[in-house]
């Protein structure tokens, strides 16, 4: 195992890269809808509590494992590698399909492709794009190619530099959309949908959804956080990185809700989730608000998706480089072609897409998160772990609460 010398050259770069991994499609097309459907503020409170008590400790466990792994003799990645590499590779493949759609829609909105269209017409556009193998696969390849270009440039010069610039810009763009959206007459109903607490909707599935979403949203269990933490400078704290990442991720999810739901309700349309919300409803609504807004919106989605996909590609590349001694350039190429293959299958066969999504979020991510919690909580020497974790209650959360909650949520989701 060659010693890992790649580094982020500043704390800011490391935190922006981690925040970039966390902020992604999950915040935009899943979170706002989930909040509305599962009881508004009631769901938000449970979500934040889970973030702090379960997901943040797992984040700290995973990043501590990453930090410790730099030392000779602690190459934990070899123990968890099969699970995390498979998980990140599979997520990368189907994530790239959606990343490709965002690229496609960015180009379409540049060309004013949605002005004057209604929802029925937008549905046809989406079905047409989705049904065209050539368009679907080539956009996926463009997205994967962009991901590879950032990663091949290196940890600090590629990933760090991209994140330092794009994440602050991404926040500004979402704030701008939220301001426009909140100014629309009738937008208040959207805020009500997001905020009005309805505790009766907070049932078992809602609670399971909150925890599952906070795992996915914080990129836990697939090695992204592990890998980025292994690139942090010695003097930078994983606790602080975890706190900031959780804060940015939640803030961004709430902002995305404020950008999306007020506009949807102002237009008198039922909100949906996933592709129908982002690629059918929103292009139409934002096009009614001017030509620039759809461009900003799809650019924001593209950046959010890219900053997550680079963290997925880097997991596999880092392992090939540091554990298999491969040159970075060749590792990126190898993963690019393999992900292009599985990504093409996801692009043309919705069943493959759904299977990849299900397997990675409900099985591999859970096993990965459990392994990181157990390794940091029970296997690594306590003194070594405490140098990073610092607080005894955080250590206790990693040892006891996290594993129990992961098993509970995995069982609930699979039943
Ligand atoms: N956190 C990303 C999102 O919310 O869209 C998804 C993700 C990225 C999961 C990277 C896992 C990962 F390693």
């Amino acid at each position: 195992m060659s010693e890992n010398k790649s580094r982020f050259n500043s704390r800011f770069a490391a935190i922006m890269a981690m925040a970039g991994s966390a902020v992604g499609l999950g915040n935009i097309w899943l979170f706002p809808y989930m909040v509305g459907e599962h009881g508004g503020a009631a769901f938000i409170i449970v979500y934040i509590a889970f973030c702090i008590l379960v997901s943040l400790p797992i984040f700290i466990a995973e990043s501590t494992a990453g930090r410790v792994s730099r030392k000779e003799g602690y190459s934990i990645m070899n123990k968890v590698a099969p699970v995390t590499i498979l998980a990140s590779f599979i997520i990368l493949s189907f994530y790239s399909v959606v990343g490709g759609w965002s690229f496609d829609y960015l180009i379409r909105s540049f060309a004013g492709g949605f002005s004057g269209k209604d929802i029925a017409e937008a549905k046809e556009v989406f079905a047409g794009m989705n049904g065209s193998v050539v368009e679907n696969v080539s956009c996926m390849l463009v997205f994967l190619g962009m991901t590879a270009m950032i990663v091949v440039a290196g940890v600090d010069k590629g990933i760090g530099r991209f994140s330092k610039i794009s994440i602050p810009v991404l926040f500004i763009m979402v704030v701008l959309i939220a301001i426009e959206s909140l100014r629309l007459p009738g937008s208040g109903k959207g805020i009500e949908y997001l905020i009005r607490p309805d505790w009766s909707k907070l049932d078992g599935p809602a609670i399971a959804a909150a925890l599952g979403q906070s795992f996915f949203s914080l990129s836990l269990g697939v090695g992204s956080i592990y890998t980025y933490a292994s690139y942090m400078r010695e003097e930078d704290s994983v606790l602080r990185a975890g706190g900031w990442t959780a804060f940015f991720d939640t803030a961004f999810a709430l902002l995305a809700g404020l950008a999306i739901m007020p506009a949807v309700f102002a237009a008198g349309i039922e909100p949906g989730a996933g592709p129908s919300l982002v690629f059918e409803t929103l292009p139409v609504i934002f096009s009614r608000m001017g030509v620039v807004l759809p461009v900003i919106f799809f650019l924001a989605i593209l950046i959010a998706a890219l900053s997550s996909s680079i963290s997925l590609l880097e997991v596999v590349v880092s392992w090939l480089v540091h554990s298999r001694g491969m040159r970075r350039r060749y590792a990126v190429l190898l993963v690019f072609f393999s992900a292009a293959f599985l990504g093409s299958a996801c692009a043309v066969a919705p069943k493959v897409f759904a299977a990849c999504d299900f397997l990675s979020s409900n099985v591999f991510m859970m096993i990965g998160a459990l392994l990181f919690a157990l390794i940091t909580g029970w296997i690594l020497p306590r003194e070594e772990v405490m140098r990073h974790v610092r607080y005894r209650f955080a250590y206790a959360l990693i040892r006891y609460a996290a594993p129990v909650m992961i098993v509970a949520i995995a069982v609930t989701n699979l039943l």
Side-chain angles (χ1 to χ4, degrees):
M1 157 116 189
S2 64
E3 208 205 332
N4 170 358
K5 294 216 177 64
S6 315
R7 284 287 178 280
F8 286 120
N9 285 341
S10 66
R11 184 167 79 201
F12 186 62
I15 293 178
M16 285 300 108
M18 285 180 169
S21 173
V23 167
L25 295 166
N27 303 57
I28 300 172
W29 83 8
L30 295 177
F31 184 81
Y33 177 76
M34 237 180 225
V35 170
E37 289 306 294
H38 292 313
F43 182 87
I44 295 178
I45 292 169
V46 172
Y47 180 85
I48 292 178
F50 276 153
C51 256
I52 297 172
L53 293 174
V54 185
S55 302
L56 189 53
I58 297 173
F59 186 107
I60 293 167
E62 184 169 336
S63 42
T64 298
R67 287 293 290 270
V68 174
S69 75
R70 279 210 297 248
K71 293 195 165 180
E72 223 39 74
Y74 285 125
S75 85
I76 305 138
M77 199 54 176
N78 292 335
K79 297 197 182 73
V80 286
V83 178
T84 56
I85 288 179
L86 211 59
S88 51
F89 175 73
I90 294 175
I91 301 180
L92 176 65
S93 305
F94 73 80
Y95 215 78
S96 296
V97 176
V98 185
W101 296 346
S102 324
F103 173 73
D104 187 307
Y105 270 58
L106 176 62
I107 305 292
R108 282 176 196 266
S109 28
F110 256 123
F114 297 100
S115 43
K117 285 209 166 41
D118 60 21
I119 305 269
E121 287 166 318
K123 276 191 196 311
E124 274 170 32
V125 172
F126 183 66
M129 178 204 68
N130 211 2
S132 154
V133 173
V134 175
E135 191 172 339
N136 222 339
V137 172
S138 48
C139 288
M140 182 271 297
L141 289 176
V142 170
F143 179 82
L144 204 52
M146 292 189 219
T147 307
M149 261 153 55
I150 300 169
V151 171
V152 88
V155 172
D156 196 63
K157 291 214 170 68
I159 297 171
R161 196 180 281 175
F162 175 79
S163 310
K164 277 191 296 194
I165 300 168
S166 67
I167 300 305
V169 171
L170 180 61
F171 268 82
I172 295 172
M173 289 195 288
V174 179
V175 169
L176 284 179
I177 303 175
I179 293 173
E180 283 303 301
S181 179
L182 289 167
R183 278 178 40 200
L184 295 172
S187 63
K189 283 206 209 87
I191 302 178
E192 215 183 296
Y193 173 81
L194 282 174
I195 305 233
R196 198 164 52 96
D198 183 349
W199 295 96
S200 68
K201 285 194 182 158
L202 207 63
D203 48 10
I207 291 174
L211 196 53
Q213 170 68 10
S214 81
F215 273 27
F216 185 76
S217 201
L218 277 180
S219 305
L220 300 177
V222 298
S224 287
I225 299 305
Y226 170 100
T227 307
Y228 278 0
S230 77
Y231 297 152
M232 282 168 73
R233 297 180 311 176
E234 211 49 59
E235 61 268 39
D236 294 336
S237 132
V238 297
L239 277 184
R240 190 178 288 183
W244 279 116
T245 305
F247 171 75
F248 283 132
D249 188 52
T250 310
F252 187 87
L254 293 170
L255 273 173
L258 288 179
I260 292 170
M261 291 309 169
V264 170
F265 278 84
I269 292 171
E270 271 300 298
S276 77
L277 175 66
V278 169
F279 296 104
E280 293 169 3
T281 312
L282 290 172
V284 172
I285 294 175
F286 287 145
S287 297
R288 289 183 197 157
M289 295 158 67
V291 280
V292 186
L293 217 61
V295 174
I296 299 182
F297 179 65
F298 285 107
L299 189 59
I301 296 192
L302 184 63
I303 292 177
L306 266 176
S307 63
S308 294
S309 63
I310 53 178
S311 76
L312 291 161
L313 177 56
E314 184 60 28
V315 175
V316 194
V317 167
S318 174
W319 178 72
L320 288 172
V321 170
H322 299 114
S323 293
R324 291 276 169 268
M326 207 181 246
R327 297 265 294 273
R328 187 170 190 84
R329 198 174 317 153
Y330 298 125
V332 172
L333 234 98
L334 176 67
V335 188
F336 171 84
F337 281 111
S338 322
F341 185 72
L342 184 58
S344 302
C346 290
V348 295
K351 278 202 178 128
V352 177
F353 187 111
C356 285
D357 183 8
F358 178 83
L359 265 182
S360 52
S361 7
N362 292 313
V363 183
F364 291 124
M365 271 184 125
M366 295 295 162
I367 300 177
L370 184 63
L371 286 175
F372 282 123
L374 293 178
I375 286 174
T376 304
W378 297 91
I379 296 180
L380 291 175
R382 189 188 173 104
E383 323 75 70
E384 194 61 54
V385 171
M386 284 309 280
R387 279 187 45 224
H388 300 285
V389 174
R390 281 201 232 139
Y391 299 100
R392 283 232 291 277
F393 77 88
Y395 189 52
L397 287 175
I398 293 172
R399 269 166 86 88
Y400 305 106
V404 171
M405 293 304 280
I406 296 167
V407 172
I409 185 84
V411 172
T412 319
N413 280 348
L414 289 174
L415 285 181

